[in-house]
Amino acid sequence: MIIVLLGPPGAGKGTQADKLSAKLGIPKVATGDVLRAAVRDGTKRGREAKSYMDRGDLVPDSVILGILQDVMTSPAAAKGAILDGAVRTVPQAEGLAAMLKEIGKKVDKVLLFDVEDDELVNRLSTRTVCEGCQTPYMGREPGSTCEKCGGRLVRRKDDEPEAVRNRLDVYRKQTSPVIGWYGDHKMPVLRIEADAPVDTVTSRALKALGK
Ligand code: AP5
């Protein structure tokens, strides 16, 4: 099963992708995580992406479609994937659909996590993430230790107020049209009210998926 997760920054896509991955037994593919790892490793892809990410802008579609091509044709994605933030523009939705068609697959479900802007800003301004495994935390100071892998918790550069404002703006202008695109292509977007405790949101998502 291939599931696309949509939603504004801070809506909980990463948090829910981990939960759904564990429940459904299919891997999570988070383009943000792949790009941050590339930046950390200083690869060509990472050098190309860094300045876009620091400002909260989208990296070019060609970079994202390159990542999706690598991942979706790999054996790890044979049973499907949960695509966390991997589709943020209409050309990315079109490119993914074409790429999947070539290997006899398609997007099966699209989930949209819905949260008010005030709550998004609140979540992002207090978030820390593990610099190793990327797990996000609320209410934990930078420099603390990750419970999952023992890595160090840090603040993300794009969680600074100016970058957060830009990310919300970019979401409205460039990513919202993706919702209509899926609707137009007979792929109804399943809207999840996501301003609720994490486990409640997971239950809502599983119900929407018919699980
Ligand atoms: P990415 O890392 O994907 O950032 P994002 O989409 O802005 O999403 P976030 O990670 O900020 O939020 P999230 O929705 O995953 O929420 P989370 O679970 O962490 O992308 C970063 C950058 O990479 C982009 O800006 C862009 O430059 C580039 N990029 C990536 N993909 C791209 C693409 N396809 N095209 C172009 N560029 C791309 O939760 C947030 C916080 O809230 C956490 O602290 C969490 O603990 C907490 N939380 C989660 N759920 C709840 C809840 N129910 N109640 C209370 N708190 C909660």
Side-chain angles (χ1 to χ4, degrees), residues 10 12-15 31 36 57 59 85 88 92 127 156 167 196:
K13 301 180 296 297
T15 302
T31 37
R36 276 185 291 279
D57 284 334
V59 306
R88 296 189 202 219
Q92 290 177 16
R127 168 171 68 177
R156 271 171 49 175
R167 286 159 68 200

Side-chain angles (χ1 to χ4, degrees), residues 8-15 31-32 35-36 52-53 56-59 64 84-88 92 119 123-124 127 136-138 156 158 167 194 196-198 201:
K13 301 180 296 297
T15 302
T31 37
L35 290 167
R36 276 185 291 279
Y52 295 97
M53 295 178 76
D57 284 334
L58 297 183
V59 306
I64 299 301
D84 162 12
V87 183
R88 296 189 202 219
Q92 290 177 16
E119 171 65 8
R123 287 184 187 181
L124 295 178
R127 168 171 68 177
Y137 288 91
M138 292 288 274
R156 271 171 49 175
D158 63 350
R167 286 159 68 200
V198 170
V201 179

Side-chain angles (χ1 to χ4, degrees), residues 32 35-36 39-40 46-59 155-167 170:
L35 290 167
R36 276 185 291 279
V39 170
R40 208 173 39 239
R47 288 195 301 276
E48 192 177 349
K50 186 175 186 317
S51 61
Y52 295 97
M53 295 178 76
D54 286 350
R55 287 194 301 272
D57 284 334
L58 297 183
V59 306
R155 294 265 303 143
R156 271 171 49 175
K157 198 161 180 181
D158 63 350
D159 281 346
E160 297 301 326
E162 195 178 330
V164 168
R165 271 194 296 278
N166 188 38
R167 286 159 68 200
V170 164

Side-chain angles (χ1 to χ4, degrees), residues 102-114:
E102 281 203 358
I103 53 173
K105 294 182 178 175
K106 65 175 180 55
V107 169
D108 295 292
K109 301 278 182 188
V110 184
L111 298 184
L112 169 65
F113 294 100
D114 217 1

Side-chain angles (χ1 to χ4, degrees), residues 31 35 59-69 85-87 92 99:
T31 37
L35 290 167
V59 306
D61 291 335
S62 56
V63 175
I64 299 301
L65 290 170
I67 293 172
L68 289 174
Q69 177 78 39
V87 183
Q92 290 177 16
M99 170 189 310

